[in-house]
Amino acid sequence: SQKIEQNSEALNIQEGKTATLTCNYTNYSPAYLQWYRQDPGRGPVFLLLIRENEKEKRKERLKVTFDTTLKQSLFHITASQPADSATYLCAQPYGGSQGNLIFGKGTKLSVKP
Amino acid sequence: EPEVTQTPSHQVTQMGQEVILRCVPISNHLYFYWYRQILGQKVEFLVSFYNNEISEKSEIFDDQFSVERPDGSNFTLKIRSTKLEDSAMYFCASSAGQGQPQHFGDGTRLSIL
C-alpha cells in the first residue's frame, strides 16, 4: 500500500542554523508533494508544493527538493528562528485521486534561541 | 486573506448521539474535503466533495458519516451515531482545483463521552 514516512519525530536545532526535514515515499510515484506546517491545536497551513518534474522550489527561507530516484523530498529552513518551531507535515496525493492527501506523521521542529 | 472557518471549535457529545460539524470553505474554491486527526496521530483523509457530490471517500467514511453542501456556502459533516473512537479533531479543507494547495480550517475537536 501507499506509504509516506517522515523518519524523524523530532528535530532540535539552534537558532540561525538550517533545519533539514526528510520525507520518504514508497509504492507509488506521486505527481507532486506538499509541505504543511501545523501548530498545536491548529489546522495544517500550506507552505510549498513541488511537482515531479521540479527538482527544487524556494519560498523566502524555505526550500524543498524532490528526488524521484531516491523517492525522497527534503525540506529546508535556513536561518531558523524560534518562531519556526512547529510540526511540519509532508503529504502526497492518494493514488489516482483528485487531490485527496495522505499525510506523514510529521516532524516536530524546535528551534532554541 | 480568505480562510476556511469551522464551527464549533469544540463539541462534546454522548455516545450514540448525532453530531453535525460545520465548515465555510473559501468562497471561490471548488473542491472540499474532510480530514480527521486522532490525538498524536496522522491527519487522515475522510472524504472529498466536488460538483455537489462525493468524489472519493476513505475506508473510515462508512455509513454513519455523510456530507452536505446545503446552501452554496456551508459544507457539513454529519456523524449519525457517534462512537467513542470518533473522538478526534476534524478538519475541513478546500482548494481551488485538483492538485492545488489545500486550505484548512482550525478544526472541531469532537469529544465522545
Side-chain angles (χ1 to χ4, degrees):
Chain A
S1 63
Q2 201 172 342
K3 278 189 179 179
I4 186 162
E5 292 178 349
Q6 295 181 253
N7 295 336
S8 299
E9 284 195 15
L11 179 64
N12 299 311
I13 64 168
Q14 207 66 33
E15 183 176 8
K17 301 291 186 184
T18 296
T20 299
L21 285 62
T22 305
C23 174
N24 294 290
Y25 59 91
T26 58
N27 298 336
Y28 178 73
S29 297
Y32 58 85
L33 289 168
Q34 299 188 23
W35 284 88
Y36 288 79
R37 169 183 173 141
Q38 188 175 28
D39 290 283
R42 307 294 298 272
V45 174
F46 171 76
L47 296 174
L48 283 168
L49 183 154
I50 186 165
R51 302 196 182 276
E52 61 181 339
N53 61 348
E54 297 174 316
K55 294 285 188 231
E56 182 179 295
K57 204 88 170 273
R58 290 175 186 261
K59 178 182 173 184
E60 297 172 353
R61 292 184 297 112
L62 309 180
K63 183 178 88 171
V64 63
T65 63
F66 194 174
D67 189 324
T68 54
T69 303
L70 293 178
K71 296 193 174 185
Q72 183 179 83
S73 176
L74 298 179
F75 178 81
H76 306 271
I77 306 175
T78 57
S80 59
Q81 304 165 1
D84 295 326
S85 298
T87 296
Y88 291 85
L89 310 176
C90 175
Q92 64 168 296
Y94 177 72
S97 76
Q98 293 184 23
N100 313 329
L101 295 175
I102 294 179
F103 282 86
K105 200 169 179 185
T107 297
K108 185 175 181 180
L109 175 67
S110 297
V111 181
K112 307 290 185 195
Chain B
E1 186 178 321
E3 57 181 27
V4 175
T5 57
Q6 291 187 243
T7 55
S9 55
H10 192 188
Q11 174 80 45
V12 182
T13 302
Q14 291 288 332
M15 186 171 60
Q17 296 296 304
E18 174 183 289
V19 294
I20 297 176
L21 310 183
R22 302 181 192 279
C23 170
V24 179
I26 293 173
S27 61
N28 62 347
H29 282 185
L30 301 176
Y31 293 81
F32 313 113
Y33 312 87
W34 283 100
Y35 292 84
R36 80 171 185 191
Q37 186 174 31
I38 295 170
L39 188 63
Q41 297 190 25
K42 296 181 183 185
V43 176
E44 299 175 290
F45 167 71
L46 293 178
V47 65
S48 59
F49 194 86
Y50 170 71
N51 201 25
N52 281 321
E53 61 184 20
I54 290 174
S55 48
E56 287 193 81
K57 58 186 181 180
S58 72
E59 292 175 354
I60 303 168
F61 193 89
D62 61 21
D63 291 344
Q64 67 165 148
F65 291 92
S66 62
V67 290
E68 198 176 33
R69 188 156 160 81
D71 56 16
S73 63
N74 291 287
F75 180 49
T76 62
L77 174 69
K78 182 191 290 186
I79 310 175
R80 254 180 285 282
S81 177
T82 50
K83 299 180 279 215
L84 293 176
E85 54 264 38
D86 294 328
S87 296
M89 280 288 280
Y90 287 80
F91 293 109
C92 172
S94 67
S95 66
Q98 185 178 331
Q100 294 297 309
Q102 294 186 18
H103 297 256
F104 284 75
D106 276 335
T108 293
R109 179 172 300 283
L110 179 62
S111 300
I112 307 299
L113 305 179

